[in-house]
Amino acid sequence: MNVVTTEAIVLRSYNLAEADRIVVCFTRDVGLIRGVAKGARRMKSRFGAALEPFTIVKLEFREKENRDLVTINGAEILKSNFAMAANIDCSEALGYMAELVSEFAPPHEANEKLFRMVAACLEALAMAPNASKIILRYFEIWILRLAGSFPDATACAICGASLTTQPAFLDFESAVRCGTCSRGVGTRLLPQVRQLLLKSQQLSPAQFAETCAGTLADNDAELAEFTHRLIVRTLERRPRTLTAFGAVAQP
Ligand SMILES: [Zn+2]
């Protein structure tokens, strides 16, 4: 048995039997874990509100060999995000982020970059709840990028031509081609959208939300089509919680 103490983001929790809860957390040191919090549903539970989704906690749990499910010993709130979860747009965004993290992050495998990215997006969302759409696009780009599922959009995958001045298209194998090599087939990537992709690489989510809000307002549908296509191809299914944002992304 191994006791672990680590910073964690609570992604989801659901009831188990009469008094317990199952909690899905993305931890800094161990990656994605599922744990049982005994007695968490009792009125005077020692967990209090620490296991609410999107709370950032100091989590202590016990791992058992050959057991996927860990036992949560304690959770201390580092930052609660209750206010954010109460905002309808934010709470939809959070649900979608939780699903993508659970799908993209392999269980029991630390991913410091992904942890920092998710934490930064949560912070940006807490500061600018009305920018949930733009922060989500940033989140999608980065979760794909960190998974190695994001194509290079600066040069044609076939002939290597620079794409800075010409139209680009996403082909069916998720590579980006120039106009000639694609023959105009595939998802079109407007120059403004490529500009947004480039910016997302250089900026934090809060900076991205602040500086790119104008460009994104006119190009969100195109960018969303691009990111959603890549996500669906990577996961080989449509995320369950994408529906609402799919609707938002429709022109
Ligand atoms: Zn080409």
Side-chain angles (χ1 to χ4, degrees), residues 54-104:
F54 296 97
T55 310
I56 303 198
V57 293
K58 188 173 141 198
L59 192 71
E60 193 192 296
F61 60 89
R62 238 175 23 246
E63 287 181 305
K64 267 189 207 153
E65 232 177 302
N66 304 325
R67 282 275 306 272
D68 181 42
L69 203 63
V70 305
T71 306
I72 313 272
N73 294 343
E76 182 192 314
I77 297 180
L78 298 177
K79 188 174 189 302
S80 76
N81 283 313
F82 304 137
M84 198 158 67
N87 174 311
I88 183 81
D89 286 341
C90 274
S91 95
E92 278 187 23
L94 294 172
Y96 177 57
M97 283 165 70
E99 184 182 359
L100 289 196
V101 173
S102 330
E103 289 294 328
F104 274 87

Side-chain angles (χ1 to χ4, degrees), residues 156 158-161 178 181:
C156 171
I158 306 297
C159 71
C178 70
C181 294

Side-chain angles (χ1 to χ4, degrees), residues 6 23 45 48-49 56 58 60 68 124 126 146 157 160 163 168-169 174 183 190 200 233 244 248 250:
T6 175
V23 193
S45 155
I56 303 198
K58 188 173 141 198
E60 193 192 296
D68 181 42
L146 293 173
L163 297 173
F169 296 83
S174 300
R183 295 198 200 92
L190 297 169
S200 72
R233 281 184 194 165
V248 169
Q250 302 295 315

Side-chain angles (χ1 to χ4, degrees), residues 152-171:
D152 175 13
T154 59
C156 171
I158 306 297
C159 71
S162 160
L163 297 173
T164 36
T165 52
Q166 55 168 320
F169 296 83
L170 180 73
D171 71 13

Side-chain angles (χ1 to χ4, degrees), residues 75 86 133 199 229:
K133 224 199 287 188
K199 286 263 196 253
R229 202 154 285 220

